[in-house]
Amino acid sequence: RVDFKFLKIVGSTMEWEGDPNRVLDVPPGDADLKLKGRFNAHTILSLAEGADGRPSTSQAAEAASARAEAAAVAAWRRSVEEAESLVAESQNDLRARREQHLAAQ
């Protein structure tokens, strides 16, 4: 939540907007926001648009998304490596049992 007022400065004269303060309920998360307003008039808060016309996310949100994706890929790679290791151990165990079985005959 953001409370604010506009201030009009003309030469050396300053004039604050009347009461009450403006209140903006800012959406949660990281996003680039665009604020349009006029002195003592309505204010509009919207998601800023990128070059592609879609709402643009902030660099922080993009970086967080990239980190999450990298972490997911790293976890997937670890699980693949663990699976490959288990397969190799099982194959070695089966070979050893086969050799023991053949030697016992």
Side-chain angles (χ1 to χ4, degrees):
R1 175 182 160 150
V2 178
D3 291 32
F4 69 100
K5 286 187 179 190
F6 284 122
L7 172 66
K8 187 189 319 184
I9 302 174
V10 178
S12 62
T13 305
M14 296 189 310
E15 181 183 357
W16 287 97
E17 284 186 304
D19 285 330
N21 288 347
R22 294 173 184 255
V23 176
L24 289 177
D25 290 318
V26 181
D30 278 342
D32 294 330
L33 301 174
K34 181 167 71 172
L35 175 69
K36 287 186 179 182
R38 290 193 175 151
F39 191 83
N40 284 328
H42 295 289
T43 301
I44 300 170
L45 179 68
S46 60
L47 290 174
E49 292 183 356
D52 59 2
R54 297 184 330 188
S56 65
T57 56
S58 71
Q59 289 179 344
E62 290 173 8
S65 176
R67 285 191 302 273
E69 185 176 345
V73 168
W76 175 79
R77 284 185 178 150
R78 282 192 302 275
S79 66
V80 168
E81 290 170 356
E82 289 173 14
E84 288 172 342
S85 176
L86 288 173
V87 167
E89 287 176 23
S90 296
Q91 288 174 335
N92 289 338
D93 186 48
L94 287 173
R95 280 190 201 101
R97 288 180 186 213
R98 182 174 181 264
E99 289 174 10
Q100 287 174 353
H101 178 71
L102 291 175
Q105 289 181 347

